[in-house]
Amino acid sequence: MSLFVRRNVTAGAPAALLTLALLTAGCTGEGGNPSTPKAGSATPTAPHGHVEGAREAAEQQSRLLLNDPTTGDTRVLDLTTGKAHEASPRAGAVELTTDGRFGYFRTADGIRVLDGGTWTVDHGDHVHYYRAGIRDVGRLPADKGAHVRGDTAVTAVTGEDGRAVTYRRTAFEKHRVGPARPLPGKHAGAVVPYAEHLLTLTDDGTGTPEVTVHTRDGARAASTDATCEDPKGDAVTRRGVVLGCADGALLISEDDGHFTAERIPYAGDVPADERAVSFRHRAGSDTLTAHAGDRAVWVLDVTERTWTRVETGPVVAANTAGEGSPLLVLETDGALHGYDVATGEETARTERLLTGEHRAGAGGDGPVVENDRSRAYVNAPKDRRVYEIDYNDGLRVARTFDLDMEPRLMVETGR
């Protein structure tokens, strides 16, 4: 069921004019029209798409952020050059996440932020790719159970107590931590930046959190009666934000300033230990994966609003590039398996990539599968390696990267 959300707005410029103004400002740099010199100067302003201190590239610049929580060893593997660069040690990390550029290392004494040095700027009708140096940003105060979510403008940190703060990304881009802005209320799960707003599940004490929408400055912008019982897991897709709930998923989407909520329920009763509670997908894709217990994987097609359960062997990690690509499942036999989502049939498998024991459904640090538009990456911590897989060519191992540390945490940036 689609639910209309009531918004509290202030009259202003027409949406079309505002959109045009934002697009113009976003593409011309500091000086407005890139072909017009500044007053009193013969020097033209920065070229279209210019970012200070970065070099523009013709194609996406992907890097892998890698960490060993025990030793603190941290590396940035440049997938364009194949070289691994050493970064400042970060010991004790229990989780590593990214917003596409910055890596967030969640530790007992806060969240350490690392600029991976590659990112993508999407202007809608065209895209810019950038690369720059790898730099430390600083530490965000947070407890060990905090959630971190970010977009190109703001990063939100939600603590175990449900209190949340936001940080402006402009400070991170200057390699410093700016002031924290508190978000009112208490929230269940992560506060998620989306569509120039903040989506939250507000815990009002009833036991079933309700979806609310805030501006980036924290003001309440919309109200809704959409609820999510026992929320676990979230993901941002092109269709909207997906929240994992006890009965399936809740999709929150935005169109011309209006927010709607739509339920995507499971086809039947699902035991608590087989629920989708953590999602993985290719950035920009509308197909999500999640563990369905120890021996199966959920595939959520957000476009079609359907859940598919694929029976596999014991699962260590799973992901998919979506849009007709195979479901990739790293299993306890140490091999990566490819499955046809529609039929559930296994279509390919690699040789054993991982040695040693790997527990089904392992959380925290350990092997994961990262996907981009043409390759998948599998970290083998005990073997000190990362494998690059061509999933469109029968899961062919395209490259093997040998490292001088155990890559127990891994995320891909540059997207």
Side-chain angles (χ1 to χ4, degrees):
M1 178 179 65
S2 180
L3 301 173
F4 179 76
V5 177
R6 302 176 297 278
R7 300 185 73 243
N8 302 318
V9 298
T10 302
L17 294 179
L18 178 59
T19 300
L20 177 61
L22 290 174
L23 287 175
T24 303
C27 288
T28 56
E30 296 178 349
N33 188 331
S35 63
T36 304
K38 293 180 180 179
S41 172
T43 304
T45 59
H48 170 76
H50 173 75
V51 174
E52 188 68 33
R55 180 164 59 87
E56 189 165 1
E59 58 185 17
Q60 181 171 298
Q61 304 293 297
S62 296
R63 291 174 178 172
L64 297 177
L65 307 189
L66 309 166
N67 175 261
D68 180 351
T70 301
T71 64
D73 289 337
T74 304
R75 303 288 182 269
V76 180
L77 177 59
D78 192 319
L79 297 172
T80 302
T81 65
K83 295 182 179 179
H85 303 273
E86 187 172 351
S88 298
R90 288 164 175 77
V94 295
E95 184 182 45
L96 172 59
T97 58
T98 183
D99 56 20
R101 173 176 176 176
F102 296 95
Y104 301 98
F105 298 76
R106 180 160 58 86
T107 70
D109 65 343
I111 296 163
R112 303 286 176 171
V113 185
L114 174 68
D115 185 352
T118 57
W119 65 95
T120 298
V121 177
D122 188 348
H123 289 291
D125 60 344
H126 65 283
V127 177
H128 295 278
Y129 304 108
Y130 295 100
R131 59 185 295 122
I134 302 160
R135 297 280 298 274
D136 288 320
V137 173
R139 183 183 71 89
L140 310 181
D143 53 52
K144 63 180 180 180
H147 302 284
V148 186
R149 302 291 185 267
D151 63 8
T152 58
V154 66
T155 296
V157 179
T158 312
E160 287 183 298
D161 62 358
R163 301 294 181 182
V165 296
T166 62
Y167 297 87
R168 295 293 186 182
R169 271 276 299 266
T170 51
F172 291 0
E173 291 164 0
K174 297 176 183 177
H175 304 116
R176 60 181 178 82
V177 174
R181 298 168 178 260
L183 190 66
K186 295 185 67 174
H187 311 281
V191 171
V192 182
Y194 169 67
E196 300 183 2
H197 288 77
L198 300 171
L199 292 186
T200 79
L201 285 166
T202 302
D203 184 359
D204 59 3
T206 64
T208 304
E210 177 182 287
V211 176
T212 58
V213 184
H214 295 261
T215 67
R216 286 172 173 163
D217 291 327
R220 191 172 182 128
S223 59
T224 173
D225 58 359
T227 60
C228 180
E229 182 180 353
D230 192 21
K232 292 180 181 177
D234 56 85
V236 179
T237 74
R238 292 175 301 176
R239 306 283 176 179
V241 175
V242 173
L243 304 175
C245 309
D247 60 351
L250 187 65
L251 174 64
I252 313 299
S253 55
E254 181 269 347
D255 182 28
D256 195 25
H258 296 280
F259 289 81
T260 57
E262 183 178 354
R263 296 196 180 278
I264 309 177
Y266 297 119
D269 292 335
V270 174
D273 60 354
E274 295 182 7
R275 275 184 51 193
V277 298
S278 180
F279 298 103
R280 294 190 69 86
H281 71 308
R282 175 182 62 79
S285 169
D286 294 328
T287 306
L288 309 182
T289 65
H291 291 249
D294 291 341
R295 302 182 63 88
V297 174
W298 288 113
V299 179
L300 174 58
D301 187 327
V302 180
T303 302
E304 298 297 328
R305 313 293 201 265
T306 57
W307 290 93
T308 302
R309 180 186 171 102
V310 180
E311 301 294 336
T312 65
V315 181
V316 175
N319 208 334
T320 183
E323 301 174 359
S325 299
L327 169 64
L328 304 180
V329 183
L330 186 64
E331 301 184 14
T332 54
D333 61 3
L336 185 67
H337 300 246
Y339 291 88
D340 183 296
V341 175
T343 66
E345 297 296 321
E346 184 178 286
T347 58
R349 76 168 67 180
T350 66
E351 297 296 324
R352 182 169 183 165
L353 303 179
L354 310 180
T355 60
E357 296 282 334
H358 297 283
R359 180 170 60 85
D365 60 7
V368 297
V369 180
E370 284 281 331
N371 279 73
D372 58 31
R373 290 188 176 276
S374 61
R375 296 289 191 268
Y377 298 92
V378 177
N379 56 323
K382 296 178 182 178
D383 304 304
R384 298 191 167 200
R385 288 176 180 164
V386 170
Y387 295 96
E388 180 182 77
I389 308 296
D390 186 346
Y391 55 76
N392 290 316
D393 188 17
L395 304 190
R396 175 178 61 88
V397 178
R399 289 188 290 179
T400 300
F401 301 99
D402 291 312
L403 304 164
D404 62 351
M405 47 82 72
E406 293 189 10
R408 289 166 53 192
L409 295 173
M410 180 179 79
V411 294
E412 184 178 356
T413 65
R415 301 175 293 184

